Structure formats: C-alpha cells, structure tokens
Amino acid sequence: MRPARFDYLAPTSVADVVSVLGADDSAKVLAGGQSLVPLMNLRLAAPTQLVDINQVAELDFLRVADGDLHLGALIRHRRLEFDPEVARVAPILAEAAGLIGHPQVRNRGTVGGSLAHSDPSAELGCALLALDAEVTVQGGTGRRSLPIAELFDGFFTTTLEDDELICQVRVPGTVPGRGWVIQEYAPRAGDFAVASVAACIDLAPGGGCVRVRAAAGGVGPTPIDLGSALGELVGETELSEGLLRHVASRAAEVIRPAADLRASAEDRRDLLQVLLVRALPAAWTRAAGSLSNGGAR
Amino acid sequence: MREIALLVNGEPVSVEVDPREHLADVLRDRLGLTGTHKACEQGACGACTVHLDGTPVLSCLLFAVQADNRSVTTVEGVGTTEDLAPIQRALSERHGLQCGFCTPGMIMQALDVVGRANGGLTPERVRHEMSGNLCRCTGYVSIVDAVLDAAAESSSVAAVPDNEPTQAEVSG
C-alpha cells in the first residue's frame, strides 16, 4: 500500500515553506504525519507536493512568557503530556495530550498538525478552545494572529489561506482559583472521541463562580464553544444537581451532532450531558482546591 | 529517487528511495529487515514500531526520506538468539507471544516503556503505554506481565550494577 507519487521538499525556514505553498495550491504540509499519511496510504489524499516542516527549527519551541504558554507548531503531543512547564501553566493540555491517539502517535503528532487537520473530535482543539488560545499563522502577506475559535471553519477545514502555515499557539496560563477538566467517551483507549468536553471554572476567593469556559468535541463540524450554554453558573456559590442538569441540557441544544457508525446524533447529545455532569463538578472541586492552597495545582 | 543515509541498528547504510516509500518498506524490502511488520498501515496497530533516534515511531507513517541522517533501531537490533534482551526473555517466559506477528512492535514499544519506567510502572500504566500495539491473538495479560517483569529486572539491575558493591556491602 503506497501513496500516490509526490515531490518531497524539506525547507528549513517558515519563509521557504510559505513560498512553496504560495506557488502550488495542491502542496500539503507534512508535520507529524499521523493524520495525513494514513489518508495518503489510503489514497484519500494525493498531494502532488509534500512540504516537510520537521526541519524548520524556528517552529520547535516551548516557552513561558508573561504567564502564558507559547507553543511552536512542531511541539509533539508527547512533550505536552510530560513537560513540567505545561503541567504548571496549562495542566489541562497535559491531560488532553495524554488522550490523543496512542504513545507512538503522540511521539510524532504535532500541535500545528492537529489544528490544521481540524478533526472535530480532536482533543487538542477542544482543550485549546476552552482555554481561549490564540493562533499565529504566516502566509505570503505576512503574519497574523487569530482567536482559535476563528481557525475552525468546518469538518476537517480551517479558515487558513492556501499559503498560510500555523506557526505558534499562545495559551493563556492558568490562574489561582481556576479548575479544569477534560473528559471524553471513546470505545477503546486511544480511539477518536465520540464526544469530549473540556471545561475551566474560575472561582473568586469567596467561592462564587466568576467565569466558565467550556468546549465540546465530536459533536459538531468543529469543536463547539459551550460558553453561552453554561453562563448561568456565573454568580453561583455551589453547583446544585438541578443547576448542573439544567446547564447540561442547554449545552445539548447548542451542539450540532451528526450521526455516524459509532453513535447517532441523539446518543451524542446524551453523551455530552453525561460528560458535563461529570466534568463540571470535577472542575469546580479543583477550582475550590486551587483557592484553598493558594493557587498551586 | 534520492539517496539517504541511515544508521540502522548501529550500522551505516546508504540506500536510494522514492519519497513515497515508507520507512517500513525500505527496512523490509531494501534492507531485508523483515522483523518490522506491516499490518494496518494506518497507524492503528503498532506492528511496525521502530525507534527513530531512540523514540518509538510507526514506520508505516514515516517516509524513509524523513529518516535521512538519523538513527533507526529495529527488532533485529535488540538482543540475539543466544543473549535475549530482558523484554524478549520475559515475553518468552510469560508466554507473551502466540502467533508472534505483533511481537516485534510490542518489543520496540516495551523497550521505551521499560526505559522510562523509573520504578513506577503499574499494570494500568503498562496497558496505557502499550495501547497502541494490538495483539489479535489477544494475549494481553501475558504481555503486560512480561513488560512488568522486564521493568522489575532493569530497575534491579540499575540499582545494583554488576561490578559495584551493594549499599549493604559498603556500609556493612
């Protein structure tokens, strides 16, 4: 089983990658290759030119600046899973990374690749949406940054221009009083999530909820922002069973699930509510714990 | 076609490849290293796991050109028939292989799991770390036991190097 023929290029700078992409609109970027190469093996994708970015050193960085986590597009999921700085500044990302595929896939798969592939069931996009991450891309007309919500356009589709390359992601760092959780339902470990939920809850020192951010994966053409459905939690000092079920059912109205071999749309609505009923109290408890120990994890 | 240079199991190799050839194909068809197995060719089964610069990767999802100037370790580079590596011995003793098709991939992933174990390996952790390797004979219990045995052996070896006195001997 072999992919269709292609020309292979391995530039060493973002500028060179962008100029190749600008000259050939059927060229594809090869990062970790854990989604693209299976598609090529099945000949569902047959790019004429493959632009391998693994030797672009300027895309391979992970640093913390001004309290935020800055991730180069080439950071591998495995690094997110185990890096102590990620665990400190954006712990939900470490947990999300551990849910992506299998260890061998995480050893190669990259942050930029996952976002560009735009699989609506991808854990990373879901977690980064709940974190309000910002994506920086470079194309023929220069660099621009956009909120991650504006990156996802639809099923396996981004809003990027043909010559634009995802270069980095800025992830706002966690703050004292913030609790986070990511949960998913998948039939087997490492499988694509049938439904997933990432949530961040901020509690004020008095214990009241001041902010809720959440996103769901696998239940629409893109990761779905659940913020509007969960707004009623703001101002509450405790998470009652009734309120929890109420906001979960509102969230089930916001999503746009499709049916496939693994689950019907109705199953996905049910799964989302089950996941939220588990996830929100877990995030709330962590937020309260963060307050009581001075903001440490 | 382009010429690439690889370090395969410690031996420098130079081979001409088509960019669309997977590393697994080059290892098997050009270099005769048929221990690396191909099954799903979609990154789902783990049978083609090899080490690229020491990290387990799926050689059905890596083009050989991407491994240019890098080091590749396959199952042929692990132990010998006379002197099995601990994970190979443990798989044998625990009956951790039946048809054996998945075994090379299991060994390559297990080496990494054992190498990073740091004494803290649990059966749950082994299952999580080995979840990318499928055994269609479903002999998972024996495989998990073998990985735990190999980890226990390597941590006791690390704690008491062969030619050094133990802590008890030094202080006693």
Side-chain angles (χ1 to χ4, degrees), chain A residues 254-277:
Chain A
V254 174
I255 60 173
R256 291 180 287 155
D260 63 18
L261 284 175
R262 294 178 304 161
S264 67
E266 220 31 56
D267 286 348
R268 285 188 157 89
R269 284 188 206 282
D270 288 346
L271 278 170
L272 176 81
Q273 294 181 67
V274 170
L275 289 170
L276 277 172
V277 165

Side-chain angles (χ1 to χ4, degrees), chain A residues 33-135:
Chain A
Q34 304 300 290
S35 299
L36 177 60
V37 181
L39 291 174
M40 291 175 67
N41 288 355
L42 294 165
R43 298 208 180 187
L44 293 171
T48 54
Q49 188 154 223
L50 216 48
V51 190
D52 184 351
I53 61 168
N54 284 283
Q55 291 168 44
V56 182
E58 64 192 287
L59 296 176
D60 191 8
F61 63 87
L62 185 159
R63 59 174 171 260
V64 177
D66 300 328
D68 293 344
L69 180 66
H70 297 259
L71 299 172
L74 272 182
I75 292 299
R76 317 263 172 201
H77 305 320
R78 201 67 163 162
R79 176 96 184 264
L80 295 182
E81 191 180 358
F82 292 117
D83 192 285
E85 287 290 271
V86 176
R88 183 173 68 81
V89 179
I92 190 172
L93 274 193
E95 195 153 310
L99 295 171
I100 301 170
H102 302 295
Q104 292 98 318
V105 168
R106 299 199 284 276
N107 282 339
R108 287 295 293 172
T110 67
V111 169
S114 174
L115 294 180
H117 187 55
S118 193
D119 182 331
S121 66
E123 290 85 355
L124 202 61
C126 181
L128 288 172
L129 182 57
L131 290 168
D132 292 315
E134 180 188 71
V135 180

Side-chain angles (χ1 to χ4, degrees), chain A residues 1-3 5-6 8 30 34 37-38 41 43 50 52 54 78 82 98 102-108, chain B residues 2 18-20 22 40-41 49 55-57 60-63 65-66 109 116 125 128-129 131-133:
Chain A
M1 193 153 59
R2 278 189 190 174
R5 288 188 193 285
F6 57 83
Y8 172 86
L30 173 65
Q34 304 300 290
V37 181
N41 288 355
R43 298 208 180 187
L50 216 48
D52 184 351
N54 284 283
R78 201 67 163 162
F82 292 117
H102 302 295
Q104 292 98 318
V105 168
R106 299 199 284 276
N107 282 339
R108 287 295 293 172
Chain B
R2 70 168 70 194
D18 185 324
R20 66 176 173 156
H22 300 126
C40 76
E41 298 181 64
T49 303
T55 300
V57 299
C60 76
L61 298 186
L62 190 79
F63 295 113
V65 284
Q66 296 184 271
Q109 178 62 14
R116 289 182 294 103
R125 190 73 206 163
H128 180 72
E129 292 280 345
S131 64
N133 293 77

Side-chain angles (χ1 to χ4, degrees), chain B residues 77-148:
Chain B
V78 181
T80 62
T81 312
E82 296 73 34
D83 184 20
L84 295 174
I87 181 62
Q88 292 168 318
R89 196 161 53 242
L91 281 165
S92 170
E93 285 169 0
R94 288 286 189 168
H95 303 284
L97 59 156
Q98 290 166 61
C99 83
F101 188 87
C102 70
T103 309
M106 290 279 182
I107 288 172
M108 299 315 289
Q109 178 62 14
L111 284 171
D112 184 58
V113 176
V114 169
R116 289 182 294 103
N118 226 348
L121 217 49
T122 61
E124 291 69 33
R125 190 73 206 163
V126 172
R127 287 193 179 90
H128 180 72
E129 292 280 345
M130 299 293 294
S131 64
N133 293 77
L134 300 183
C135 166
R136 294 297 75 181
C137 308
T138 70
Y140 293 109
V141 171
S142 312
I143 293 168
V144 171
D145 288 345
V147 176
L148 289 167

Side-chain angles (χ1 to χ4, degrees), chain A residues 228-247:
Chain A
S228 63
L230 306 181
E232 286 178 54
L233 297 180
V234 174
E236 295 295 322
T237 52
E238 64 178 271
L239 193 55
S240 71
E241 180 79 13
L243 180 62
L244 184 56
R245 296 205 177 268
H246 170 68
V247 295

Side-chain angles (χ1 to χ4, degrees), chain A residues 91-291:
Chain A
I92 190 172
L93 274 193
E95 195 153 310
L99 295 171
I100 301 170
H102 302 295
Q104 292 98 318
V105 168
R106 299 199 284 276
N107 282 339
R108 287 295 293 172
T110 67
V111 169
S114 174
L115 294 180
H117 187 55
S118 193
D119 182 331
S121 66
E123 290 85 355
L124 202 61
C126 181
L128 288 172
L129 182 57
L131 290 168
D132 292 315
E134 180 188 71
V135 180
T136 299
V137 305
Q138 184 168 330
T141 56
R143 270 192 174 228
R144 66 184 177 107
S145 295
L146 64 161
I148 192 156
E150 292 174 16
L151 176 73
F152 302 119
D153 195 34
F155 204 59
F156 295 103
T157 313
T158 66
T159 58
L160 297 183
E161 298 297 330
D162 285 340
D163 67 346
E164 282 183 321
L165 179 74
I166 294 175
C167 295
Q168 67 165 306
V169 180
R170 182 181 64 81
V171 186
T174 194
V175 294
R178 177 168 297 168
W180 51 271
V181 74
I182 180 161
Q183 294 212 344
E184 69 176 28
Y185 170 75
R188 288 171 298 262
D191 263 358
F192 293 102
V194 176
S196 61
V197 164
C200 296
I201 290 178
D202 289 15
L203 297 182
C209 173
V210 290
R211 182 176 176 274
V212 184
R213 289 291 297 121
V219 291
T222 65
I224 305 282
D225 190 328
L226 299 180
S228 63
L230 306 181
E232 286 178 54
L233 297 180
V234 174
E236 295 295 322
T237 52
E238 64 178 271
L239 193 55
S240 71
E241 180 79 13
L243 180 62
L244 184 56
R245 296 205 177 268
H246 170 68
V247 295
S249 70
R250 287 215 46 204
E253 293 164 17
V254 174
I255 60 173
R256 291 180 287 155
D260 63 18
L261 284 175
R262 294 178 304 161
S264 67
E266 220 31 56
D267 286 348
R268 285 188 157 89
R269 284 188 206 282
D270 288 346
L271 278 170
L272 176 81
Q273 294 181 67
V274 170
L275 289 170
L276 277 172
V277 165
R278 290 177 189 167
L280 293 174
W284 192 291
T285 302
R286 269 196 177 128
S290 160
L291 277 180

